[in-house]
Amino acid sequence: MPKLEQHVSYLPHHPVFKEASTTTKVRVVFDGSAKTSTSHSLNEALLTGPVIQDELLDLMLRFRKHPVALVADVEKMYRQIKVHSGDTSLQRIIWRFNAHEPIKVYELQTVTYGLSPSSFLATRVLQHLADDCGHNYPLAVTALKEDFYMDDFLSGAQSTEEAKELRNQIQSLLREGGFQLRKWNSNKPEVLADLPPASIESSPTLQFEPEHRVKTLGVVWETKLDQLCIEVREAFNHSVWTKRKVFSVIAQLYDPLGLVSPVISWAKFQMQHLWLASVGWGEPIPDELDSRWREFCTQLPLLQRFSVSRYILVSSWVNVEFHVFCDASEAGYGACIYTRSTGRDRTNTTKLTAAKSRVAPLKRLSLPRLELCAALLGAKLYARVSAALRMEGIPCWFWTDSMVTLHWIRAPPNTWQTFVGNRTAEIQQLSHGHK
């Protein structure tokens, strides 16, 4: 019987330079989506695997629940995971160390950046490690399964002693699989006091200074003030604004918690206007839109002054409740959720926890219907936040200034036509037992 020919694939690769990185300034990226001689790419032939980790919003919400926060990342995570020997022929590259050497063929032996299943494989290995070796590390098992987003670790504890124990356990558990945690940081310096300086994100001279900021999954965290901030990468200034440039700026406005939703909603509203104007990707945008957009970009750096407390509860809290506010206009609608907590000394604090917004659809809806959409968005936001924080039984109050919406929600859904009936039924289900 003839021997089957081995499947072979060669990966294009190039360096990516990141001057802001404190560790890896140059990262090699492999292009698994490049078309081969068969007119197909390697990624098209690979299965991506299911999503087996919590979404980013859930991790960020839980990160805000801990009085003592703890972050780190896994050093060279992909490079610690070996690929089956039968599959390495699909990860071939050509390389030489200088122009005078002959070109050689290499096979990458580990999980590789740029391939479709890499994210799943790396995450699955961490979870398998928790199942196999976690019996001696009870705190670390939960953290490894729920508090990792790829190689980023976001967690915390109720006290510095518990945070230290969690840190030690997660380090020991990952060491069982050959992984090393680095770039540690916390809002409490004593949690990291016994770590070697090389494994801490900030240098000793800048550690926990007010101006020292740590970027955690795209969100700026001021560790000493324990505040979350919004990062604006640059002051955008183009002589000619095109649709492509405008959309590029909007894509860089990263706010997973929705802390500045009104600002980003305005930008997306302009995006909608550009679509209606039928402007080509490389064409200058209309003058009216251009003047509004330039004013917006001038004011955009002001977002760097915005900050909210990372920790959303009061110390030693004894009572917690949620308050959801919903509103709409002809341009769009949104909802936000606040957490109100009461301490043993009867002190209260109310913190913005998360928000969501939507641009009104091109097919015009009446304002009462948009208000109803806002109420549904608020109900979904509550369900998402309470589940992420493991606080499903916490009392919640829902607020809207639309009497029509309240009238719709209070009646049986089958009273109304399809649009209103479907939405009121879902609102009633999600808000059942609350006010």
Side-chain angles (χ1 to χ4, degrees), residues 277-309:
S278 300
V279 179
W281 284 103
E283 298 176 8
I285 63 177
D287 293 340
E288 182 182 355
L289 290 175
D290 185 84
S291 60
R292 289 204 303 262
W293 184 254
R294 289 183 185 276
E295 183 180 3
F296 173 76
C297 289
T298 301
Q299 299 175 5
L300 198 56
L302 297 176
L303 283 181
Q304 299 191 68
R305 303 180 186 177
F306 175 83
S307 64
V308 296
S309 174

Side-chain angles (χ1 to χ4, degrees), residues 146-384:
E146 297 182 357
D147 295 337
F148 270 83
Y149 190 80
M150 287 306 301
D151 60 345
D152 288 291
F153 172 59
L154 285 85
S155 190
Q158 294 299 309
S159 64
T160 55
E161 293 75 16
E162 184 182 341
K164 283 185 177 181
E165 180 63 23
L166 172 61
R167 189 204 72 195
N168 292 333
Q169 285 194 22
I170 198 70
Q171 282 181 308
S172 300
L173 177 54
L174 286 175
R175 203 174 292 123
E176 297 272 358
F179 297 102
Q180 180 70 33
L181 282 169
R182 61 175 181 175
K183 298 170 70 172
W184 284 96
N185 224 306
S186 174
N187 60 320
K188 300 292 184 181
E190 55 269 27
V191 175
L192 312 174
D194 55 340
L195 287 177
S199 65
I200 299 177
E201 165 71 13
S202 51
S203 65
T205 55
L206 295 175
Q207 189 173 8
F208 304 108
E209 292 295 324
E211 293 302 320
H212 179 67
R213 293 180 171 188
V214 178
K215 189 175 179 182
T216 305
L217 292 173
V219 178
V220 177
W221 175 34
E222 290 190 350
T223 53
K224 188 170 184 178
L225 299 178
D226 202 15
Q227 293 180 340
L228 298 179
C229 312
I230 302 300
E231 182 182 51
V232 178
R233 295 185 180 179
E234 58 180 293
F236 302 102
N237 186 19
H238 295 288
S239 57
V240 178
W241 279 100
T242 64
K243 184 164 77 170
R244 180 179 290 107
K245 292 177 181 178
V246 170
F247 282 25
S248 175
V249 171
I250 295 174
Q252 295 179 47
L253 301 177
Y254 183 72
D255 179 26
L257 290 168
L259 301 177
V260 290
S261 284
V263 177
I264 297 180
S265 292
W266 188 93
K268 291 181 177 179
F269 184 58
Q270 305 312 305
M271 179 190 295
Q272 193 179 66
H273 274 273
L274 278 178
W275 280 115
L276 292 174
S278 300
V279 179
W281 284 103
E283 298 176 8
I285 63 177
D287 293 340
E288 182 182 355
L289 290 175
D290 185 84
S291 60
R292 289 204 303 262
W293 184 254
R294 289 183 185 276
E295 183 180 3
F296 173 76
C297 289
T298 301
Q299 299 175 5
L300 198 56
L302 297 176
L303 283 181
Q304 299 191 68
R305 303 180 186 177
F306 175 83
S307 64
V308 296
S309 174
R310 178 200 59 82
Y311 185 47
I312 58 174
L313 301 171
V314 70
S315 299
S316 304
W317 59 271
V318 294
N319 183 62
V320 177
E321 57 192 37
F322 293 123
H323 291 263
V324 177
F325 295 86
C326 316
D327 202 1
S329 71
E330 293 182 352
Y333 56 92
C336 60
I337 183 168
Y338 286 82
T339 304
R340 184 177 187 271
S341 57
T342 305
R344 291 195 182 98
D345 57 355
R346 297 186 179 277
T347 58
N348 296 297
T349 183
T350 303
K351 301 291 177 62
L352 174 63
T353 305
K356 289 285 186 182
S357 62
R358 297 285 186 272
V359 176
L362 292 176
K363 182 179 179 181
R364 186 170 295 276
L365 296 176
S366 65
L367 188 56
R369 287 194 170 192
L370 288 174
E371 293 276 9
L372 180 64
C373 291
L376 176 58
L377 188 64
K380 289 181 176 179
L381 181 62
Y382 159 73
R384 180 71 179 274

